[in-house]
Amino acid sequence: MALLKVMCSRQSFRSAGTAPDPRSVSSGFFLLYPELCSPHAMNLLLLGGTQFVGRHIVLSALERGHSVTTFTRGQTSDDLPEAVTRLHGDRLEVNGGLDALNSGRWDACIDVSGYLPRVVEQSARLLRGRVGRYLFISTVSVYAPGER
């Protein structure tokens, strides 16, 4: 955890005399997006967030004093702290799947569950003007067709 505190104080790893732990997903995330290491508490929305990298981002954000809302299908029980606000919906549902996101404002939205371009586009459009930043995290979807 000391490494995360170093990153959030915006010191470089070289000046701190250490290197990032490659096993720490949240360390890498907050290194790449230092604006999320704001000294002021932020209101964050995670699309996804109960498993895989999303869970680590939620826990790391809470540790930094940010408030966190997750938007999930509610199909998987989670062991996230009670401080997390939970919204439910289904991004694949064409009509009404995003209704839980029709109101609210967030400093940033971190999308870790956009498996299809159309669902990412729908979410980004719905949240336009109500989030300060929209950060989409992907793996295979970053490649153009045929480049894998």
Side-chain angles (χ1 to χ4, degrees), residues 20-40:
D21 181 348
R23 296 167 296 173
S24 176
V25 173
S26 58
S27 293
F29 177 80
F30 283 95
L31 174 64
L32 292 172
Y33 305 100
E35 64 271 18
L36 296 179
C37 290
S38 169
H40 307 288

Side-chain angles (χ1 to χ4, degrees), residues 1-8 13 16 18-22 24 27-28 64:
M1 290 305 155
L3 176 62
L4 296 177
K5 290 178 182 153
V6 168
M7 286 190 304
C8 284
F13 289 115
T18 185
D21 181 348
S24 176
S27 293
R64 288 173 171 73

Side-chain angles (χ1 to χ4, degrees), residues 117-135:
R118 75 170 172 84
V119 300
V120 175
E121 184 178 353
Q122 289 169 338
S123 302
R125 278 196 176 138
L126 178 66
L127 295 169
R128 183 179 297 159
R130 296 188 295 119
V131 297
R133 291 185 185 264
Y134 190 103
L135 175 64

Side-chain angles (χ1 to χ4, degrees), residues 25-26 29 46 49-59 112 137:
V25 173
S26 58
F29 177 80
L46 263 87
T50 57
Q51 296 184 0
F52 307 116
V53 69
R55 181 179 182 284
H56 295 284
I57 293 170
V58 168
L59 296 175
V112 297
I137 299 174

Side-chain angles (χ1 to χ4, degrees), residues 23 86 141:
R23 296 167 296 173
R86 293 159 174 85
S141 295

